[in-house]
């Protein structure tokens, strides 16, 4: 498993990410109009929603990687799943931090037991357990197998958790983008959100790529250590 | 040996060792009782209304905490003196070990629930006899869901360095739908509402049971593999 420094994917990804981040910052802070009732605090929306999107995307990749790992027993899929889980936990943490920042001035409270908040928090706990499982498993292969099982169960559980908390109570603002009858956002806000979504997705791909390469280097170092003994 | 014979052999082994030591059942039952008593201190003196609101939650905290205790122990026992290796040398599908352990845990949790329920009725002054059929259905569906993921996670936790410590951390987030559905439907039934009103919750419990029994059955072999 050699690391190709002239990786084509890596070559275009970094500049594309840089440009899209600049565009997203411009869109969120300059281009997008100030929301009439909520004011500037609403701009956190352009970071909160894309973070949530990346978190769910990342956990979906964990789910796929876990299935492929149990099926093919190839270390590559385990690296993909665990790297993606790390990024997923990071972005879930960002969702859980940016949400209350907006909630305090708008709802008047940092936290509410709304379905999406609660589901996100439980999701965060499941993937924290995912890393504890890996850390305490002893052998790496054993930890990888058990974590893969949790990666599958955790993802399958998400709709059930969401539905159960939804039936329990609800306060979160209704979806404004994906809903019957088309988006309820003005085009300038929707455009800004789309640019931000693109930037965050590229950021996810970039981080995932780097994390996977780092883990492969780790494996190589381990292999070299074994050889020297 | 047929499938059911092998299944029964493992369940029988667990039952015999439990009848001789009685450690699993007694510790689960006493713990459930303690939870009822401690929560009674935490919430009383309260009004009758408050008691009806908190009672289902307290009941399910008692059942799930005691359940987690028993689940953790059931696989820790197999790890002691490496019994799990003996089990794994048994011919046939690893899924049998999962199913047998799951059914055993279901029996133990069920037994604890049967004994705890009358005490709950006495302590919290609720009439459970008229609502016994619906309550039994809720208990049955919820315990299946909790014990299915619980058995799988107990096998995982027992294989780690931290042993049983990891089990609640793995189990409770995943079991959230079961716990919410169980508490909500128990509450409705205690208020004297008809069974039709809790049909969505029962459907959710049933879907959870089916989905996770299948996934746990399939993935169990990856968890115990050495």
């Amino acid at each position: 498993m050699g690391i190709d420094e002239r990786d084509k994917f890596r070559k275009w990804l970094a500049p594309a990410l840089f440009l899209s981040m600049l565009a997203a910052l411009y869109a969120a802070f300059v281009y997008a109009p100030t929301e009439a009732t909520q004011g500037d605090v609403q701009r956190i929306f352009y970071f909160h929603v894309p973070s949530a999107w990346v978190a769910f995307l990342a956990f979906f990749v964990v789910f796929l990687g876990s299935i492929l790992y149990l099926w093919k027993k190839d270390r590559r899929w385990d690296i993909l799943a665990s790297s993606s889980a790390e990024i997923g936990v990071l972005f879930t943490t960002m969702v859980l931090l940016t949400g209350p920042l907006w909630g305090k001035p708008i709802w008047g409270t940092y936290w509410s037991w709304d379905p999406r908040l609660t589901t996100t928090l439980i999701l965060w706990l499941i993937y924290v357990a995912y890393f504890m499982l890996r850390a305490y498993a002893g052998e790496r292969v054993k930890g990888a197998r058990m974590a893969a099982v949790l990666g599958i169960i955790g993802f399958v559980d998400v709709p059930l958790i969401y539905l159960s908390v939804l039936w329990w109570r609800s306060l979160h603002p209704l979806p404004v983008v994906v809903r019957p009858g088309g988006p309820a956002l003005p085009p300038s806000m929707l455009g800004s959100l789309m640019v931000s979504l693109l930037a965050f997705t590229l950021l996810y791909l970039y981080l995932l790529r780097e994390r996977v390469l780092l883990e492969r280097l780790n494996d190589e170092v381990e292999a070299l250590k074994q050889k020297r003994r | 040996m047929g499938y059911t014979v092998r299944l029964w052999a493992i369940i029988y082994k667990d039952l015999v060792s439990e009848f001789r030591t009685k450690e699993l059942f007694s510790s689960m039952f006493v713990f459930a009782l303690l939870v009822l008593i401690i929560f009674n201190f935490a919430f009383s003196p309260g009004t009758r209304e408050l008691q009806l609101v908190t009672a289902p939650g307290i009941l399910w905290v008692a059942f799930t905490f005691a359940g987690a205790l028993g689940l953790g122990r059931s696989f820790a026992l197999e790890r002691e003196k490496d019994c799990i290796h003996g089990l794994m040398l048994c011919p046939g599908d690893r899924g049998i070990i999962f199913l047998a352990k799951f059914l055993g845990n279901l029996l133990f949790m069920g037994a604890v629930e049967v004994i705890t329920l009358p005490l709950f009725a006495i302590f919290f002054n609720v009439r459970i006899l008229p609502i016994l059929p619906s309550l039994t259905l809720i208990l049955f569906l919820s315990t299946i869901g909790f014990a299915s993921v619980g058995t799988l996670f107990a096998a995982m936790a027992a294989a780690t360095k931290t042993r049983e410590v990891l089990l609640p951390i793995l189990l409770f987030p995943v079991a959230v739908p079961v716990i919410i559905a169980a508490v909500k439907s128990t509450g409705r039934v205690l208020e004297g509402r008809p069974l039709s009103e809790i049909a969505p919750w029962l459907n959710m419990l049933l879907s959870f049971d089916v989905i996770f029994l299948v996934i746990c059955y399939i993935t169990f072999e990856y968890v115990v593999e050495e």
Side-chain angles (χ1 to χ4, degrees):
Chain A
M1 276 198 289
I3 309 292
D4 187 2
E5 281 303 329
R6 291 158 303 167
D7 191 330
K8 282 216 181 74
F9 183 63
R10 240 177 140 193
K11 216 171 180 179
W12 67 258
L13 191 56
L17 171 65
F18 180 69
L19 290 177
S20 68
M21 277 176 122
L22 283 182
L25 282 173
Y26 178 80
F29 288 110
V30 184
Y31 175 67
T34 307
E35 220 269 350
T37 48
Q38 300 183 8
D40 275 332
V41 76
Q42 181 266 342
R43 290 181 198 275
I44 210 165
F45 168 78
Y46 304 112
F47 301 94
H48 180 74
V49 176
S51 300
W53 151 251
V54 167
F56 281 92
L57 176 67
F59 293 144
F60 181 60
V61 171
V62 176
F63 173 65
L64 292 182
S66 300
I67 292 177
L68 284 167
Y69 177 65
L70 291 184
W71 182 24
K72 305 274 188 197
K73 305 235 183 280
D74 186 340
R75 165 93 172 122
R76 271 192 316 171
W77 298 118
D78 176 46
I79 293 181
L80 179 74
S82 65
S83 305
S84 191
E86 268 180 30
I87 303 169
V89 169
L90 175 71
F91 279 89
T92 312
T93 311
M94 282 176 28
V95 173
L96 289 171
L97 290 177
T98 50
L101 283 181
W102 173 87
K104 184 66 184 171
I106 304 301
W107 286 340
T109 168
Y110 283 115
W111 186 260
S112 84
W113 291 100
D114 150 272
R116 258 157 289 176
L117 268 75
T118 313
T119 306
T120 312
L121 180 63
I122 293 167
L123 209 59
W124 187 82
L125 284 166
I126 290 178
Y127 289 92
V128 167
Y130 177 94
F131 286 108
M132 294 177 86
L133 196 55
R134 269 178 185 279
Y136 300 145
E139 307 156 46
R140 197 187 62 198
V141 179
K142 196 165 79 177
R145 263 200 319 259
M146 295 197 297
V149 171
L150 184 60
I152 295 169
I153 289 184
F155 193 78
V156 173
D157 205 22
V158 172
L160 288 170
I161 296 176
Y162 180 74
L163 211 61
S164 63
V165 188
L166 178 71
W167 291 349
W168 182 51
R169 53 172 42 165
S170 185
L171 183 70
H172 198 280
L174 293 167
V176 287
V177 179
V178 186
R179 57 164 215 160
L185 279 178
S188 56
M189 282 187 173
L190 186 65
S192 304
L193 178 66
M194 289 304 153
V195 173
S196 197
L197 278 174
L198 175 73
F200 270 78
T201 309
L202 288 177
L203 178 62
Y204 166 70
L205 291 175
Y206 181 77
L207 288 174
L208 184 64
R209 186 77 191 152
E210 293 301 314
R211 187 67 188 86
V212 166
L213 290 180
L214 184 65
E215 197 57 33
R216 284 196 199 154
L217 281 175
N218 261 339
D219 277 5
E220 270 185 37
V221 171
E222 278 305 311
L224 286 175
K225 271 192 200 160
Q226 294 291 329
K227 240 184 231 170
R228 275 198 62 202
R229 261 175 219 157
Chain B
M1 277 203 292
Y3 196 91
T4 42
V5 178
R6 277 179 285 178
L7 192 66
W8 174 243
I10 301 177
I11 301 176
Y12 180 73
K13 159 194 93 68
D14 281 350
L15 285 179
V16 167
S17 83
E18 177 56 26
F19 276 124
R20 289 192 185 146
T21 61
K22 296 172 190 72
E23 62 172 46
L24 212 60
F25 179 78
S26 52
S27 50
M28 280 167 83
F29 169 64
V30 175
F31 186 67
L33 192 62
L34 278 169
V35 170
L36 289 185
I37 294 168
I38 297 292
F39 270 85
N40 185 53
F41 289 145
F43 287 116
S44 77
T47 57
R48 183 78 190 122
E49 285 71 38
L50 181 72
Q51 208 173 26
L52 264 185
V53 170
T54 51
I58 296 170
L59 183 69
W60 280 100
V61 169
F63 287 166
T64 50
F65 280 26
L69 197 72
L71 287 164
R73 197 74 198 124
S74 78
F75 268 96
L77 284 172
E78 302 289 357
R79 286 280 159 188
E80 274 170 26
K81 307 215 175 79
D82 267 344
C83 296
I84 189 88
H85 288 126
L87 269 185
M88 275 161 48
L89 286 175
C90 292
D93 193 356
R94 296 268 159 81
I96 295 177
I97 305 177
F98 169 76
L99 217 54
K101 277 285 173 188
F102 159 72
L103 289 172
N105 286 326
L106 198 64
L107 275 179
F108 291 139
M109 276 188 76
V112 170
E113 286 168 357
V114 166
I115 312 273
T116 313
L117 206 56
L119 291 170
F120 165 76
I122 294 166
F123 285 156
F124 289 84
N125 192 20
V126 285
R127 288 171 58 85
I128 53 164
L129 272 183
I131 53 164
L132 207 54
S134 9
L135 210 53
T136 311
L137 185 63
I138 297 169
L139 282 174
F140 186 64
L141 289 177
S142 313
T143 311
I144 288 180
F146 191 78
S148 63
V149 280
T151 303
L152 183 80
F153 287 155
M156 281 191 193
T160 63
K161 282 183 281 185
T162 47
R163 295 284 152 108
E164 292 114 294
V165 179
L166 207 53
L167 175 63
I169 295 171
L170 294 168
L171 179 55
F172 283 109
V174 171
V176 158
V178 174
I179 297 173
I180 293 181
V183 170
K184 281 285 161 182
S185 48
T186 308
R188 284 273 180 281
V189 165
L190 283 183
E191 285 167 14
R193 305 290 182 82
L195 200 60
S196 58
E197 210 173 283
I198 57 164
W201 289 120
L202 295 179
N203 282 337
M204 165 165 296
L205 285 173
L206 197 63
S207 346
F208 189 98
D209 293 357
V210 172
I211 294 171
F212 285 103
L213 265 178
V214 172
I215 295 183
C216 294
Y217 183 85
I218 297 170
T219 53
F220 184 76
E221 64 170 303
Y222 300 107
V223 170
V224 287
E225 207 174 293
E226 289 293 312

